[in-house]
Amino acid sequence: MAKAKGGQPLVCLTAYDAPRAALIDPHCDLILVGDSVGMVVHGLDSTVGVTMDMMIMHGQAVMRGSQSAFVVVDMPFGSYEASPQQAFENAARIMMETRCQAVKLESGVYAEETVRYLVDRSIPVLAHVGLRPQAINVDGGFKAKGRSDDERQRVIAEAKAAESAGAFGVVVEGVAEDLAAEITELLSIPTIGIGASASCDGQILVTEDMLGLFDWTPKFVRRYGNVKGEITAAVENYASDVRGRAFPGKAETYSLNSEKSLKIPRVDD
Ligand code: KIV
């Protein structure tokens, strides 16, 4: 993957199902089936409980909806850390069962050998450094990384290790702008930032965050929609129509007398 597409930053978003993948696909260079699905769709309080079966099911759905974007599926916690062999078995399963183009894994420096093992065996890998949500239980929660010099050097080492192991790109999450800029300058592979400033080669957000589905979003999210408001208003209207017997009306009702009325009206009819 080039550092920037025609000089422009890479546009990346998450998707977990076919209809949403179809909607975002024409506008994105890369779609990530993130393990954030555990929190966004399944109501978990972290990504730690996400399983291989969940990732494969959502990966298959996204692949059905996506036409042209490069689709990457996250490797869930516990599916790659034990050994390069364990990582290969699970990454190969994800690739074979979803037909996605690459996998992503949260790559501490320890994972260099694993990334190399996968890439050498024909599995493209997107690395993920900085704030690593699967590591919250040792890192003390969802906190930005690189505040101390030690931490800063660690994030730089993680990014360099990912590049030297053959990752085609690296997600940089939750770091201050100067650190993101330094990593982007140091690497020849693209950096894709989330909460990592405009100094990266691309940007990624959780789609539901930027669509405005939740009351709370992290500081780095810009809301481009008000999906929560739209869903709430639509459901309130529906509930009021059903209770007031205003729905269904004649237009939404089958009649045995008319051929035409057998057609169920759709929004675009
Ligand atoms: O799981 C996810 O959605 C991610 C992105 C936010 C980078 O890892």
Side-chain angles (χ1 to χ4, degrees), residues 46-64:
S46 81
T47 56
V48 173
V50 174
T51 64
M52 279 287 293
D53 287 347
M54 283 158 80
M55 293 314 302
I56 286 173
M57 187 186 68
H58 290 287
Q60 289 169 336
V62 167
M63 286 301 289
R64 282 182 213 116

Side-chain angles (χ1 to χ4, degrees), residues 243-259:
R243 291 192 178 109
R245 298 197 181 279
F247 175 84
K250 277 262 177 288
E252 296 102 359
T253 304
Y254 289 116
S255 155
L256 293 178
N257 303 328
S258 150
E259 272 286 304

Side-chain angles (χ1 to χ4, degrees), residues 14 16 32 34-36 74 104 106 128 171 173 194 204 206:
T14 60
Y16 317 118
L32 173 69
D35 62 351
S36 50
D74 247 340
K104 173 166 86 57
E106 294 184 12
H128 183 151
V171 168
E173 177 163 358
I194 173 160
I204 186 161
V206 169

Side-chain angles (χ1 to χ4, degrees), residues 19-230:
R20 256 171 279 224
L23 283 174
I24 70 174
D25 181 87
H27 311 285
C28 287
D29 300 305
L30 182 151
I31 295 178
L32 173 69
V33 187
D35 62 351
S36 50
V37 68
M39 301 171 78
V40 175
V41 173
H42 295 270
L44 300 175
D45 61 2
S46 81
T47 56
V48 173
V50 174
T51 64
M52 279 287 293
D53 287 347
M54 283 158 80
M55 293 314 302
I56 286 173
M57 187 186 68
H58 290 287
Q60 289 169 336
V62 167
M63 286 301 289
R64 282 182 213 116
S66 147
Q67 297 290 316
S68 58
F70 189 86
V71 177
V72 180
V73 176
D74 247 340
M75 298 198 67
F77 178 67
S79 70
Y80 60 91
E81 299 90 334
S83 66
Q85 289 78 2
Q86 180 212 24
F88 178 77
E89 272 160 33
N90 284 316
R93 188 178 157 214
I94 290 175
M95 302 282 295
M96 288 164 72
E97 293 185 27
T98 68
R99 312 310 292 263
C100 68
Q101 279 88 32
V103 296
K104 173 166 86 57
L105 53 86
E106 294 184 12
S107 46
V109 174
Y110 84 91
E112 182 171 356
E113 191 194 342
T114 296
V115 174
R116 183 167 294 113
Y117 194 88
L118 296 184
V119 175
D120 283 352
R121 285 159 184 76
S122 314
I123 299 187
V125 176
L126 178 62
H128 183 151
V129 305
L131 194 169
R132 292 184 283 124
Q134 292 175 8
I136 51 161
N137 290 318
V138 286
D139 277 0
F142 293 95
K143 289 191 191 137
K145 290 281 165 291
R147 291 179 203 272
S148 68
D149 197 50
D150 267 9
E151 217 175 52
R152 203 186 154 85
Q153 294 315 319
R154 201 189 78 190
V155 179
I156 293 172
E158 287 169 357
K160 283 166 82 175
E163 171 169 62
S164 85
F168 68 84
V170 55
V171 168
V172 181
E173 177 163 358
V175 303
E177 179 157 23
D178 63 330
L179 179 53
E182 186 174 344
I183 293 171
T184 302
E185 189 61 40
L186 276 171
L187 301 192
S188 58
I189 55 173
T191 55
I192 299 173
I194 173 160
S197 84
S199 292
C200 295
D201 298 302
Q203 296 295 324
I204 186 161
L205 285 176
V206 169
T207 301
E208 285 71 6
D209 281 345
M210 69 82 142
L211 288 179
L213 185 61
F214 303 115
D215 286 331
W216 184 87
T217 46
K219 169 187 162 64
F220 59 78
V221 173
R222 184 180 297 174
R223 287 188 190 191
Y224 288 87
N226 177 18
V227 165
K228 182 181 176 190
E230 297 233 344

